[in-house]
């Protein structure tokens, strides 16, 4: 019987080359065309010749077994075939099939038997011997093998050279005593390698050259579906695990590559495989065979944004592992996903009230960040807790946002809508939140806040898609802030803001008034608007909060709680309050202080 393995094109890694795997100098595995999944395999052993046996590692868990080294010239024979066959079109004939199903035959390079005879090439190079005991005298193919072997002997090629070939036996290193030191010593420089085994789509076994280290490498930044080992020893593939493994195998198995070993957390070597035809990490993501992994994305050296973009492409096309994917903003119209708005107020250093072009007001929370907070019960029970002044770095964070954003137009891209949560044991209730990436002049506000150490990045479950569309930049900004000891990550004394609140204390206000009157004009920030003409001001120079009335006018009063019940709002009170808010809330003003009424 005869067969062939066809090449579908090898211009890029995405196009599938011939799947030939070289077991040794005299045995190969060929695969047919994939149809709806990985294709069947077929092992072809070369008739009438024998090449040296490759090294084998001792069976794990069996202490009485030992590693078996290469036979002389075995690796060179394997390499001769690997370089000649991998990615090429081959044709084969099967001459004998044993009772155990082992097939022996001839392999030719090309579409038919007129191509180069692989067995003859091996014998001619002195990389295989002829099994003369089974030769029939009238077989011209066998006679030619014998002639080629005689020529190789007389030319002292390969196996027939002087010295016995001990120099061809590799010093294979199956384990590395200190993997982290080994990875660090390479300084993320590309190292030549051959991919010897593919465990799953994102984990390979590589032979590092020229020192023959055999290492298991997990691709940085991604994870493919895996094969779960059951209690009985069998393996159960997760959905698309077999397809992902075949995708990587058919493109990288036994290929010459370069590997950048990027990190080694917990004895796991993380790396990126470089191939002239493309980046397998990006391709696995783009084709929906893998998902991004935050913990190893941080060490990926080829640009994390490319991985997120590839994953995003697969999600949008709903391919393979993303076939049931629903985007966090799938229910929003485009105009509600991206818009320009004017910032009217900063809330709690991680949110802001913006005014849309329609005139509507909307609260936007910055995606994936957490403002400064007090851990545990550190609040002073004897005084009223004021988060803006009493939480370390909350005031600095609010001020950073206020100075940069108040009254400015910003670009808002909604990343996700966080559903409302009810109160639980020890946790408060939260209303529905619109979480977005906010930029001004090309600057990501959340990233700027995190880079100054004025906010931290929220960590998510791996399958939680409700996160910032620039999550990796946020993580990188936080890493810089930690490294440089900025803000919340500083070892210095935390800033303390002793702000006297005399806005509701008549006696203190009377005592303080002469100081303000002597100052004449005072700089202030409008912290709150009670009504159109009644404000609360923060005086930074005097470090106090005061209630301030606009002299000479009185605006309609808003509704408020009184001891006798709720006072109804006067007509136009809301309009007056909104008018004043839009003009001065959280803006820097100059207050001219007159006599207290």
């Amino acid at each position: 019987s005869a067969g062939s393995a066809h090449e579908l094109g090898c211009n890029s890694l995405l196009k599938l080359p011939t799947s030939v795997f070289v077991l040794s100098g005299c045995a190969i595995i060929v695969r047919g065309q994939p149809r709806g999944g990985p294709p069947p395999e077929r092992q072809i052993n070369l008739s009438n010749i024998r090449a040296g046996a490759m090294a084998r590692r001792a069976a794990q868990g069996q202490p009485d077994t030992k590693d078996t080294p290469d036979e002389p010239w075995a690796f060179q024979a394997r390499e001769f075939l690997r370089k000649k066959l991998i990615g090429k079109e081959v044709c084969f004939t099967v001459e004998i099939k044993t009772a155990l199903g082992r097939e022996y035959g001839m392999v030719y390079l090309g579409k038919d038997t007129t191509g180069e005879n692989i067995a003859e090439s091996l014998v001619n190079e002195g990389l295989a011997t002829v099994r003369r005991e089974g030769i029939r005298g009238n077989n011209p193919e066998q006679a030619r093998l014998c002639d080629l072997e005689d020529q190789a002997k007389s030319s002292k090629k390969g196996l027939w050279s002087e010295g016995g070939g001990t120099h061809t036996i590799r010093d294979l290193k199956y384990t590395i005593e200190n993997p982290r030191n080994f990875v660090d010593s390479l300084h993320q420089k590309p190292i030549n390698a051959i991919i010897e085994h593919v465990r799953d789509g994102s984990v390979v076994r590589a032979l590092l050259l020229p020192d023959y280290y055999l290492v298991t490498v997990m691709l940085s930044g991604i994870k493919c579906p895996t094969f779960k080992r059951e209690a009985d020893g069998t393996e159960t593939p997760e959905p698309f695990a077999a397809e992902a493994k075949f995708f990587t195998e058919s493109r990288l198995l036994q290929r010459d590559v370069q590997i950048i070993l990027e990190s080694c957390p917990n004895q796991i070597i993380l790396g990126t495989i470089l191939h002239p035809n493309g980046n397998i990490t990006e391709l696995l993501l783009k084709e929906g065979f893998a998902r991004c992994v935050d913990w190893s994305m941080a060490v990926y050296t080829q640009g994390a944004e490319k991985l997120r973009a590839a994953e995003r492409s697969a999600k949008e096309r709903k391919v393979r592992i993303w076939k049931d994917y629903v985007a966090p903003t799938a229910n929003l119209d485009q105009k509600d996903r991206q818009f320009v708005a004017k910032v009217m107020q900063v809330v709690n250093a991680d949110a802001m009230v913006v005014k849309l072009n329609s005139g509507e007001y909307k609260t936007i929370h910055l995606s994936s960040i957490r403002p400064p907070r007090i851990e545990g019960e550190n609040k002073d029970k004897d005084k009223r807790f004021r988060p803006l002044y009493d939480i370390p770095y909350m005031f600095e964070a609010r001020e950073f946002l206020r100075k940069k954003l108040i009254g400015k137009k910003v670009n808002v891209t909604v990343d996700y809508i966080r559903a409302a949560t009810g109160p639980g044991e020890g946790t408060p209730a939260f209303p529905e939140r619109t979480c977005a990436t906010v930029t001004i002049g090309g600057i990501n506000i959340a990233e700027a806040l995190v880079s100054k150490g004025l906010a931290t990045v929220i960590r998510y479950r791996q399958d939680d898609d409700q996160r910032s569309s620039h999550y990796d930049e946020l993580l990188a900004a936080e890493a810089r802030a930690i490294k440089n000891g900025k803000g919340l990550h500083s070892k210095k004394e935390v800033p303390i803001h002793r702000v006297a609140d005399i806005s509701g204390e008549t006696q203190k206000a009377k005592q303080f008034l002469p100081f303000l009157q002597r100052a004449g004009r005072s700089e202030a920030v409008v912290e709150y608007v009670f009504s159109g003409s009644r404000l609360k001001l923060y005086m930074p120079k005097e470090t106090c909060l005061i209630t301030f009335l606009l002299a000479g006018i009185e605006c309609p009063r808003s509704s408020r709680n009184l001891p006798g019940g709720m006072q109804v709002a006067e007509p136009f009170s809301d309009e007056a309050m909104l008018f004043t808010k839009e003009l001065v809330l959280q803006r820097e003003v100059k207050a001219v202080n007159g006599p207290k009424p």
Side-chain angles (χ1 to χ4, degrees):
S1 63
S4 64
H6 294 288
E7 186 173 40
L8 298 183
C10 195
N11 294 327
S12 77
L13 274 174
L14 198 53
K15 292 182 179 178
L16 182 66
T18 303
S19 191
V20 176
F21 175 59
V22 180
L23 293 172
S24 69
C26 57
I28 68 169
I29 287 175
V30 294
R31 275 174 162 162
Q33 297 294 335
R35 290 183 175 86
E41 295 180 347
R42 196 167 176 181
Q43 180 173 330
I44 306 296
N45 302 283
L46 297 177
S47 296
N48 303 315
I49 70 166
R50 182 191 178 279
M54 297 277 286
R56 291 177 70 88
R57 191 178 183 185
Q60 300 297 296
Q62 297 181 22
D64 53 337
T65 61
K66 292 183 178 180
D67 296 340
T68 307
D70 290 328
E71 290 184 1
W73 297 96
F75 180 65
Q76 287 67 26
R78 197 291 298 260
E79 285 296 271
F80 178 82
L81 282 194
R82 182 181 71 83
K83 291 174 180 176
K84 194 172 280 288
L85 298 183
I86 294 296
K88 302 291 173 53
E89 189 169 4
V90 299
C91 170
F92 61 90
T93 62
V94 176
E95 298 173 345
I96 301 169
K97 187 171 184 178
T98 67
L100 295 175
R102 228 171 137 82
E103 295 182 312
Y104 290 85
M106 306 299 285
V107 176
Y108 303 89
L109 202 55
K111 296 182 179 180
D112 53 43
T113 55
T114 62
E116 179 183 343
N117 183 315
I118 298 304
E120 291 181 1
S121 297
L122 279 162
V123 172
N124 185 54
E125 293 298 322
L127 297 173
T129 57
V130 179
R131 295 178 185 269
R132 296 187 180 235
E133 65 275 11
I135 288 183
R136 298 182 292 278
N138 58 353
N139 188 316
E141 289 181 351
Q142 293 174 336
R144 177 162 170 72
L145 285 174
C146 291
D147 290 342
L148 289 169
E149 185 179 51
D150 292 339
Q151 291 172 27
K153 284 180 181 178
S154 63
S155 301
K156 292 184 167 46
K157 283 186 175 180
L159 288 157
W160 314 113
S161 62
E162 295 175 356
T166 53
H167 66 286
T168 67
I169 299 171
R170 295 171 295 167
D171 177 20
L172 274 173
K173 303 167 187 72
Y174 294 105
T175 57
I176 298 173
E177 191 171 322
N178 192 325
R180 178 170 291 182
N181 283 357
F182 176 75
V183 170
D184 291 345
S185 70
L186 297 172
H187 304 293
Q188 297 188 343
K189 291 177 182 174
I191 184 167
N192 294 327
I194 302 166
I195 304 301
E196 294 287 1
H197 175 68
V198 175
R199 193 172 84 190
D200 61 49
S202 55
V203 179
V204 301
R205 189 89 164 141
L207 180 67
L208 304 184
L209 303 174
D211 297 322
Y212 301 121
Y213 285 100
L214 264 171
V215 298
T216 299
V217 179
M218 179 181 289
L219 293 176
S220 301
I222 69 166
K223 187 175 188 298
C224 289
T226 60
F227 298 81
K228 291 190 174 177
R229 188 174 291 278
E230 305 296 343
D232 60 1
T234 59
E235 289 189 336
T236 304
E238 294 176 343
F240 297 104
E243 292 88 341
K245 179 182 178 183
F246 176 67
F247 186 89
T248 300
E249 269 187 351
S250 56
R251 287 154 180 81
L252 290 185
L253 187 58
Q254 290 198 328
R255 301 290 172 134
D256 290 311
V257 299
Q258 287 192 313
I259 300 180
I260 299 175
L261 301 182
E262 291 161 324
S263 185
C264 186
N266 302 320
Q267 306 295 299
I268 299 169
I269 294 179
L270 296 171
T272 295
I273 298 173
L274 305 177
H275 189 283
N277 294 338
N279 184 327
I280 194 69
T281 307
E282 289 179 33
L283 287 172
L284 284 163
L285 286 169
K286 190 175 180 183
E287 293 302 307
F289 284 122
R291 65 176 73 241
C292 289
V293 177
D294 299 332
W295 69 270
S296 68
M297 180 87 76
V299 303
Y300 182 69
T301 56
Q302 306 300 299
E305 69 283 351
K306 295 178 184 175
L307 301 192
R308 293 288 185 197
E311 183 186 62
R312 195 158 49 246
S313 169
K315 287 176 176 178
E316 288 168 357
R317 291 178 287 121
K318 297 192 175 186
V319 292
R320 301 192 175 89
I321 65 172
W322 305 112
K323 59 187 176 67
D324 299 319
Y325 176 73
V326 178
T329 56
N331 298 325
L332 293 179
D333 292 336
Q334 183 58 35
K335 65 179 177 59
D336 295 326
R337 289 185 206 172
Q338 285 188 307
F339 51 86
V340 176
K342 186 177 180 181
V343 178
M344 307 306 296
Q345 182 182 0
V346 173
V347 184
N348 277 352
D350 71 334
M352 63 197 71
V353 177
V354 299
K355 184 180 182 182
L356 308 180
N357 289 336
S358 63
E360 177 191 352
Y361 285 81
K362 191 175 184 70
T363 300
I364 300 293
H365 290 261
L366 296 175
S367 299
S368 300
I369 70 165
R370 184 175 282 123
R373 59 181 180 176
I374 287 183
E375 300 290 346
E377 291 296 318
N378 295 329
K379 300 171 188 175
D380 189 341
K381 301 276 194 310
D382 297 330
K383 69 173 186 177
R384 187 162 58 90
F385 182 66
R386 301 170 302 172
L388 182 62
Y389 307 112
D390 295 337
I391 296 178
Y393 293 102
M394 178 69 90
F395 182 74
E396 284 76 10
R398 198 290 301 264
E399 283 297 273
F400 174 79
L401 294 181
R402 183 186 68 78
K403 290 175 181 178
K404 203 166 194 67
L405 300 180
I406 287 295
K408 306 280 181 61
K409 288 199 170 181
V410 294
N411 295 294
V412 180
T413 302
V414 177
D415 294 318
Y416 56 96
I417 307 293
R418 195 161 128 193
T421 57
E425 190 174 332
T427 58
F430 288 107
E432 181 181 273
R433 292 183 174 190
T434 299
C435 299
T437 296
V438 176
T439 62
I440 182 169
I443 296 171
N444 181 340
I445 293 302
E447 185 182 348
L449 203 60
V450 170
S451 69
K452 290 183 177 295
L454 300 177
T456 54
V457 182
I458 297 170
R459 294 325 195 253
Y460 296 96
R461 290 193 325 270
Q462 194 52 55
D463 59 350
D464 188 349
D465 209 39
Q466 293 208 327
R467 61 178 70 187
S468 168
S469 51
H470 296 269
Y471 189 68
D472 298 307
E473 289 96 312
L474 296 183
L475 289 175
E478 185 176 58
R480 290 195 304 272
I482 292 171
K483 182 180 178 181
N484 297 325
K486 294 287 187 72
L488 292 159
H489 314 291
S490 172
K491 302 289 191 294
K492 298 176 184 176
E493 288 274 327
V494 298
I496 296 172
H497 299 281
R498 293 187 173 89
V499 179
D501 188 351
I502 57 175
S503 59
E505 299 187 36
T506 308
Q507 195 57 39
K508 282 187 178 180
K510 284 181 178 177
Q511 292 171 358
F512 198 60
L513 179 61
F515 293 102
L516 294 178
Q517 288 175 323
R518 279 197 296 274
R521 290 172 179 259
S522 300
E523 292 182 351
V525 175
V526 179
E527 288 289 3
Y528 194 78
V529 176
F530 297 103
S531 71
S533 56
R534 185 183 180 90
L535 319 170
K536 180 187 276 192
L537 303 184
Y538 168 65
M539 319 284 285
K541 192 176 177 182
E542 294 81 7
T543 62
C544 67
L545 291 164
I546 65 169
T547 299
F548 189 85
L549 304 180
L550 297 180
I553 66 165
E554 184 177 3
C555 291
R557 292 191 173 190
S558 305
S559 60
R560 55 180 177 164
N561 283 318
L562 294 174
M566 175 70 77
Q567 180 180 337
V568 180
E570 295 176 358
F572 298 104
S573 61
D574 290 342
E575 289 85 346
M577 183 166 67
L578 189 60
F579 178 84
T580 301
K581 268 187 174 182
E582 289 200 1
L583 283 176
V584 298
L585 181 59
Q586 289 190 339
R587 295 186 189 232
E588 292 168 9
V589 296
K590 283 188 168 60
V592 181
N593 304 293
K596 184 174 176 64

